[in-house]
Amino acid sequence: MFATADTGSDLIWMQCSPCKKCSPQNTPLFEPRKFSTFRTVSCDSQPRTLLSQSQRTCTKSGECQYSYAYGDKTFTVGTLGVDKINFGSKGVVQFPKFTVGCAYYNQDTPNSKGLGEGPLSLVSQLGDQIGYKFSYCLIPYGLNYTSKFKFGDIALATIKGKRVVSTPLILKSSEPSFYYVNFEGISIGKRKVEMSKSESDGNMFIGSGATYTMLQQDFYNKFVTLVKEVAGAEVE
């Protein structure tokens, strides 16, 4: 099944049957009752505590229900569960107790592979076994190629080269699901609009699940003004 690789969220979830409202997908919905490895998370279990209080509720049957809202106004609601996940077609590596979401009510969003820094993400649950390291090369949808994910030390070995540049990621305890970077400014031609140094310590987070870039209002106004100036347009 296709899934969104999202560095801006942590929960891994899939669309499950029976589903009240699901996005179209080419593969069948996951049916948890048909798999002996899947079990729901109870309201008094440890995985439930990894969700914030605003993201979790308890059903009448004692199961933990999650609710996630994303920056583009989409959302997902479902049951938190534990299942076995396998990696690799050769020399399969198994993780018998992986926390996942079983979604039954979604708003315009497909399955999600959470790659954020939060405790429920794929990277965090693999944790020490991969040294919290990963990289990916995502091919545009529709091309006849395969996207690649790398975990562990091999992830760093695949992104080295003469034209490769990098910037350090910044982690914040106040926002544990996000990877931040220092955004210094934007160059337009030979001119540059710079971010204030007092606002440059982890002032932008990377969200691969979003399709747009959001800027602070004052910086955005300066950016628009500079674009008009460089393009020779009237500045109002």
Side-chain angles (χ1 to χ4, degrees):
M1 63 182 68
F2 290 105
T4 300
D6 188 11
T7 58
S9 65
D10 58 346
L11 181 66
I12 309 163
W13 60 269
M14 53 199 167
Q15 298 190 129
C16 292
S17 176
C19 191
K20 296 179 180 178
K21 187 179 188 303
C22 280
S23 300
Q25 64 181 54
N26 296 328
T27 52
L29 299 177
F30 179 69
E31 298 187 51
R33 297 175 183 176
K34 292 186 177 181
F35 294 87
S36 60
T37 57
F38 182 89
R39 62 178 178 82
T40 57
V41 169
S42 64
C43 291
D44 58 356
S45 64
Q46 188 271 340
R48 176 179 179 266
T49 63
L50 301 178
L51 294 168
S52 68
Q53 290 188 349
S54 63
Q55 294 173 326
R56 70 193 190 208
T57 56
C58 190
T59 65
K60 293 181 180 179
S61 59
E63 295 177 337
C64 177
Q65 179 178 279
Y66 74 85
S67 177
Y68 261 69
Y70 298 98
D72 59 359
K73 307 303 181 183
T74 60
F75 61 83
T76 175
V77 177
T79 302
L80 201 65
V82 175
D83 204 347
K84 179 175 68 175
I85 291 184
N86 299 332
F87 284 92
S89 57
K90 297 180 180 179
V92 173
V93 179
Q94 295 186 347
F95 297 89
K97 294 182 179 180
F98 227 79
T99 304
V100 296
C102 200
Y104 56 78
Y105 194 91
N106 305 315
Q107 175 64 43
D108 299 327
T109 185
N111 304 290
S112 178
K113 182 183 290 184
L115 295 171
E117 201 265 329
L120 287 172
S121 77
L122 179 66
V123 178
S124 294
Q125 290 197 63
L126 293 176
D128 293 335
Q129 298 177 71
I130 62 169
Y132 295 90
K133 303 171 186 176
F134 74 98
S135 65
Y136 57 78
C137 180
L138 302 181
I139 305 301
Y141 180 79
L143 295 183
N144 191 27
Y145 296 96
T146 302
S147 297
K148 299 291 185 181
F149 275 87
K150 303 289 184 179
F151 299 96
D153 291 336
I154 193 174
L156 302 182
T158 58
I159 57 173
K160 294 180 179 179
K162 292 182 179 180
R163 300 181 65 182
V164 174
V165 295
S166 63
T167 187
L169 297 178
I170 298 172
L171 305 181
K172 295 184 177 183
S173 58
S174 59
E175 293 287 351
S177 293
F178 299 137
Y179 302 109
Y180 287 85
V181 294
N182 280 339
F183 175 65
E184 298 179 352
I186 298 178
S187 296
I188 305 171
K190 295 182 179 181
R191 300 176 62 182
K192 182 179 181 180
V193 54
E194 297 183 344
M195 178 68 72
S196 169
K197 291 185 178 181
S198 62
E199 300 174 339
S200 62
D201 186 18
N203 55 9
M204 177 173 285
F205 70 83
I206 304 297
S208 60
T211 57
Y212 48 81
T213 301
M214 293 184 292
L215 302 172
Q216 295 178 3
Q217 187 64 54
D218 58 342
F219 182 87
Y220 174 80
N221 293 338
K222 295 177 183 178
F223 166 68
V224 171
T225 298
L226 183 57
V227 169
K228 290 181 177 179
E229 290 176 354
V230 173
E234 288 188 26
V235 180
E236 297 181 358

